[in-house]
Amino acid sequence: MTRIAFIGAGSTIFMKNIVGDVLHFPALEGATFALMDINDQRLEESALVARKLIAASGKPAQIETTNDQRRALAGADFVVTAFQIGGYEPSTVIDFDIPKHYGLRQTIGDTLGVGGIMRGLRTVPHLWRVAADMAELCPNATLLQYVNPMAINTWALAERYPQVKQVGLCHSVQNTVQELAHDLDLPKDEIRYRVAGVNHVAFFLDLTHKGQSLYPALREGYRTGRLPKPPLLMSRCANKVRYEVMNHLGYFCTESSEHLAEYVPWFIKTGRADLIETFAVPLDEYPKRCIEQMADWADQAKTYRTADRIDFAKSHEFAAEIMNAMVTNQPYTIYGNLPNRGQAPQLPMCAAVEVPCMVDAGGVHPTVIDDIPPQLVALMRTQINVQELVVRALVDEDVEHVYHAAMMDPHTAAELDLRQIRSLVTDLLAAHGDMLPDFARLKKAA
């Protein structure tokens, strides 16, 4: 029977989606889920939810729980990672509050910018520990990696543990198709598309419905003010940034407007409140979400605890589809993040790139995409510059590259000078302290 280790299983809602998805596949219905988390309460809540899902499904799946990562990984066929090192407090608070003192404002802070850089420094060493244990305890397993910053993590894993089979997974492509279908009043299953780039800054190179490009309708809708419609997924976050970027660069980005706004130098600028208003940029959005999600989870946990059964529908995550394709050898196409071995020849080799991938019993096979327009390649390189410097900092244990990464970040560099950036990074490193790897731990700046 298939063994699925879930590292960070205290992420209960995400765990629920993956377990529920797995239970939809006959080839996986007898799976053992080894749930691992360091938080006993969240682990117990997740186990309760998973057991009620299994009971509702009538399938013979089993649940194990442990605080011991090695025990969860032993003999695993698949490993799912979903954790956040440092949590909302103290890490997210640090990542947002200290930059504000320098006049640097953020929206999400989990992928690029100083927030993404710090999250990468905190996260990669823990992923390396997972990979080291996998190499010893389940060397044939596939790591389904859902942790941000996705591109930095995927790249760093491949650098240190190239023998570990891994793929970075994100739902930005699926979410964007859903949003575009909403804007254009089309069934999402009828939209055809081809996407390539780097995670969160990939673009829809083809976007059609019944053989006709959807780009003319998107451009005309934006020109006349009919689009974007009020958002489908995040009511507080209008989708204007992505439409504006499409209007100038010609293609639609896979990640939400609140994310994209902080990856580029064009939307969050000191003294330009008009930009924030015109493009509805939701500053400090991620801390707000964290607070709301913690409050919502308290209520959901009570509901799940008292429910006789928990019903579930299939989500649009790729994890269970990958497992089923590998177990049954029934091919399935996903969008996956993998080190560039030539599948995106216009982008730097070894960088983590996101392209269509075919999955079967032989693993995850990326498709070659070699026609990314040059203006999009140029934008993607600005992201890769930062990612590469963070990876080099981690692999070479060179703290100077942390500073260099921040200096090359498009939004940070547009707002701060070199001395401000150095001072800001020093303050961030000092504040995170023991949450960082040894080479990056500094005393607080005088």
Side-chain angles (χ1 to χ4, degrees):
M1 294 294 103
T2 304
R3 180 175 176 84
I4 303 165
F6 205 118
I7 309 302
S11 301
T12 306
I13 299 303
F14 183 73
M15 182 280 312
K16 173 180 175 288
N17 287 339
I18 302 303
V19 172
D21 290 351
V22 168
L23 294 173
H24 279 84
F25 291 99
L28 301 172
E29 64 184 17
T32 294
F33 296 93
L35 306 183
M36 179 270 164
D37 204 280
I38 60 173
N39 184 312
D40 286 328
Q41 179 181 340
R42 293 300 299 266
L43 181 61
E44 185 271 334
E45 290 167 347
S46 289
L48 179 146
V49 169
R51 290 189 175 105
K52 288 188 177 183
L53 288 176
I54 292 169
S57 75
K59 304 296 174 58
Q62 300 292 319
I63 297 295
E64 297 176 5
T65 62
T66 181
N67 301 125
D68 185 341
Q69 177 174 288
R70 289 176 60 82
R71 180 179 172 188
L73 292 173
D77 299 290
F78 300 98
V79 178
V80 180
T81 51
F83 51 74
Q84 182 183 348
I85 303 302
Y88 167 67
E89 288 183 318
S91 291
T92 294
V93 173
I94 291 170
D95 285 345
F96 276 79
D97 283 358
I98 291 178
K100 279 185 191 176
H101 291 303
Y102 290 82
L104 185 64
R105 298 166 296 169
Q106 300 171 94
T107 52
I108 304 295
D110 71 353
T111 297
L112 215 68
V114 291
I117 291 167
M118 291 298 136
R119 186 180 281 221
L121 291 177
R122 297 193 303 269
T123 303
V124 167
H126 291 268
L127 286 171
W128 278 346
R129 283 192 277 275
V130 173
D133 285 345
M134 286 179 63
E136 178 186 351
L137 300 168
C138 52
N140 296 317
T142 299
L143 172 59
L144 309 179
Q145 208 286 106
Y146 275 98
V147 182
N148 278 322
M150 176 63 64
I152 290 171
N153 294 342
T154 301
W155 193 338
L157 278 164
E159 287 276 326
R160 181 63 64 85
Y161 292 96
Q163 75 274 34
V164 171
K165 292 182 285 187
Q166 58 140 336
V167 59
L169 299 173
C170 180
H171 44 235
S172 59
V173 173
Q174 304 98 297
N175 283 353
T176 300
V177 172
Q178 189 175 352
E179 290 281 7
L180 290 172
H182 166 69
D183 277 3
L184 295 172
D185 297 314
L186 293 172
K188 64 181 177 61
D189 293 339
E190 293 183 5
I191 295 176
R192 298 292 176 263
Y193 51 91
R194 187 171 60 101
V195 170
V198 295
N199 183 239
H200 289 188
V201 185
F203 286 82
F204 286 80
L205 306 182
D206 298 324
L207 185 65
T208 63
H209 179 251
K210 295 184 177 179
Q212 298 299 311
S213 174
L214 293 175
Y215 275 117
L218 292 174
R219 294 189 187 102
E220 179 64 12
Y222 186 56
R223 186 188 68 79
T224 60
R226 291 185 293 104
L227 299 179
K229 291 181 180 179
L232 179 65
L233 299 176
M234 300 299 298
S235 61
R236 190 166 52 226
C237 300
N239 210 9
K240 296 181 179 180
V241 168
R242 284 200 282 184
Y243 273 88
E244 182 71 3
V245 169
M246 176 199 69
N247 201 40
H248 291 276
L249 298 186
Y251 296 84
F252 207 84
C253 184
T254 55
E255 191 44 87
S256 65
S257 287
E258 59 268 26
H259 281 81
L260 182 58
E262 67 181 4
Y263 303 157
V264 296
W266 308 313
F267 296 98
I268 307 174
K269 290 179 175 291
T270 301
R272 293 296 306 275
D274 60 306
L275 292 173
I276 303 300
E277 181 178 356
T278 298
F279 297 107
V281 178
L283 298 171
D284 297 322
E285 172 62 21
Y286 186 65
K288 292 173 187 173
R289 288 184 193 177
C290 289
I291 293 169
E292 291 167 355
Q293 288 169 357
M294 286 186 289
D296 289 345
W297 173 247
D299 293 333
Q300 284 181 302
K302 292 177 185 177
T303 300
Y304 285 141
R305 191 171 292 279
T306 57
D308 291 333
R309 58 182 280 145
I310 299 176
D311 295 317
F312 56 96
K314 193 172 180 302
S315 80
H316 61 200
E317 302 293 353
F318 287 132
E321 301 282 4
I322 292 171
M323 297 178 201
N324 184 65
M326 293 183 70
V327 167
T328 64
N329 200 28
Q330 297 173 0
Y332 187 82
T333 299
I334 66 163
Y335 277 88
N337 294 271
L338 294 166
N340 190 9
R341 304 289 186 242
Q343 68 265 38
Q346 297 158 284
L347 298 175
M349 295 296 286
C350 299
V353 295
E354 189 169 51
V355 299
C357 301
M358 193 272 285
V359 186
D360 60 15
V364 181
H365 314 286
T367 300
V368 174
I369 303 291
D370 60 3
D371 61 345
I372 303 173
Q375 71 274 21
L376 302 185
V377 171
L379 177 58
M380 293 166 192
R381 283 176 179 155
T382 69
Q383 314 294 293
I384 291 170
N385 290 339
V386 181
Q387 296 158 6
E388 181 174 24
L389 285 163
V390 177
V391 172
R392 291 270 55 87
L394 286 155
V395 172
D396 301 340
E397 297 190 352
D398 185 346
V399 73
E400 274 299 299
H401 287 325
V402 180
Y403 294 94
H404 299 154
M407 292 170 187
M408 299 302 158
D409 176 66
H411 173 45
T412 304
E415 291 285 273
L416 305 181
D417 65 38
L418 289 169
R419 293 183 181 184
Q420 288 175 310
I421 294 171
R422 182 165 290 277
S423 179
L424 166 58
V425 171
T426 297
D427 286 350
L428 286 166
L429 294 174
H432 281 298
D434 291 347
M435 286 177 287
L436 300 177
D438 289 343
F439 77 90
R441 297 178 188 176
L442 302 180
K443 293 181 180 179
K444 196 164 186 177

